[in-house]
Amino acid sequence: MTFTGTVREALKSDHSRLIAMAILLFVSLLAYWFATLFIIPGSNSADYAALVISSVISLIFWALILVMVFGIILRNAFLSFLGVLRRRMWARILLPSYLLVHLLVYGLVLERILVSIFGRPDYNVGQYVFVQPGGAFYPHTLFNALIQLTLNPSIILFLPPFYGIELTLFSFSSAIIISVLIVVHLERLSVCADTIRKAGGSVLYPLIGVVGGASCCISLPGIFLDFTPLASSILLVPLWVDVLNVLYYLLPVTVIALLALTLKQFDFLKATDEMN
């Protein structure tokens, strides 16, 4: 078989896998929608079982997302990441460090900024962590079920005197993908440093994930709602709520797309450097 034929077969294989993964994701969405039909306001054994089942389905859904991203869409980047992780000690240190900063520190820093702007809230909290499963949602549509899949279950972390962070499966998954891409970018940056300087200094690309990726671990409407009446009144306007919710999802997805696209530039620079 020729090289062109091999590439064509590989593309067909990836296309088939994408279709299969899309079908599995849609089936998971339908299963989640059906399971949450049995969650109604109140507390009883049927509600508890539906909450557990819907949370398990949500975990499966996001596991499939990660498999699709790392196994098909960003497979080459993920293989490079595994290689860097084996060879470089700094990568094994950076990965958990970045995840910690991305998921926790960004949220605390933002809340501190909000306190300085809006003032201290009128309540204090203790230090505790709990898992919050998704509940009933209305109207019970597939689109709303998809939104719920990003939030169910959530890990709520409270730190005294009044700080709180909500971590969702969407924020965890986004953080993992961005972290992998950041490690690969830094490795490519070290390999292509001289060529990059000659090309005009694209060394700022890795910082995109550090700065822009912070959005996916912060529940902006929830934070603002805890502060002054002015902030609460702003969130009474549906347009502002929609804007904040869109940014919560759009910014990290945009960061992931930009980091994935710039990997191709690194590959081009590396090939150019080898030719020279």
Side-chain angles (χ1 to χ4, degrees):
M1 182 179 292
T2 64
F3 175 76
T4 304
T6 303
V7 172
R8 188 178 294 113
E9 288 299 320
L11 290 175
K12 286 182 179 179
S13 178
D14 282 348
H15 183 68
S16 300
R17 291 193 187 99
L18 277 174
I19 293 175
M21 293 300 299
I23 291 173
L24 288 175
L25 288 171
F26 185 69
V27 170
S28 299
L29 175 61
L30 287 176
Y32 185 87
W33 174 83
F34 182 76
T36 48
L37 281 173
F38 300 95
I39 301 175
I40 58 176
S43 58
N44 54 52
S45 57
D47 289 346
Y48 179 77
L51 285 172
V52 172
I53 292 172
S54 63
S55 296
V56 170
I57 294 172
S58 185
L59 289 169
I60 293 173
F61 178 87
W62 284 100
L64 290 173
I65 289 286
L66 291 177
V67 169
M68 182 175 68
V69 170
F70 291 136
I72 303 174
I73 300 174
L74 298 177
R75 180 174 57 197
N76 292 335
F78 186 64
L79 292 175
S80 297
F81 165 76
L82 294 178
V84 175
L85 213 59
R86 286 193 300 267
R87 298 191 309 269
R88 308 292 190 184
M89 176 62 71
W90 63 261
R92 295 193 289 271
I93 297 174
L94 176 65
L95 183 66
S97 301
Y98 180 80
L99 283 172
L100 177 66
V101 171
H102 186 99
L103 291 171
L104 298 180
V105 176
Y106 276 135
L108 294 175
V109 169
L110 179 62
E111 289 214 1
R112 187 68 188 90
I113 293 172
L114 293 176
V115 170
S116 65
I117 295 174
F118 295 111
R120 178 180 176 137
D122 297 328
Y123 59 83
N124 290 328
V125 299
Q127 181 175 345
Y128 54 94
V129 180
F130 64 92
V131 178
Q132 177 177 287
F137 57 93
Y138 303 100
H140 205 86
T141 63
L142 283 179
F143 179 75
N144 284 339
L146 181 61
I147 297 300
Q148 280 288 315
L149 275 169
T150 67
L151 306 173
N152 175 28
S154 299
I155 298 177
I156 313 297
L157 170 64
F158 282 108
L159 297 172
F162 43 74
Y163 295 107
I165 299 175
E166 180 177 1
L167 303 177
T168 66
L169 289 176
F170 173 75
S171 65
F172 274 110
S173 300
S174 300
I176 291 171
I177 296 171
I178 291 174
S179 299
V180 168
L181 292 174
I182 287 292
V183 169
V184 176
H185 268 71
L186 292 176
E187 171 67 11
R188 301 282 175 88
L189 185 64
S190 66
V191 172
C192 305
D194 293 336
T195 307
I196 288 173
R197 292 190 192 98
K198 295 176 184 177
S202 303
V203 294
L204 292 179
Y205 283 130
L207 297 179
I208 296 173
V210 178
V211 177
S215 61
C216 72
C217 58
I218 300 170
S219 182
L220 292 175
I223 291 175
F224 277 101
L225 196 59
D226 288 337
F227 285 87
T228 64
L230 173 61
S232 299
S233 64
I234 289 175
L235 287 179
L236 292 176
V237 180
L239 176 61
W240 282 106
V241 176
D242 291 339
V243 168
L244 291 172
N245 284 327
V246 167
L247 289 176
Y248 176 75
Y249 296 104
L250 182 62
L251 288 177
V253 171
T254 302
V255 168
I256 291 170
L258 287 174
L259 288 172
L261 289 173
T262 52
L263 280 179
K264 295 183 178 180
Q265 293 187 2
F266 278 107
D267 292 337
F268 175 77
L269 289 172
K270 183 179 179 181
T272 302
D273 189 45
E274 290 176 349
M275 290 177 61
N276 295 331

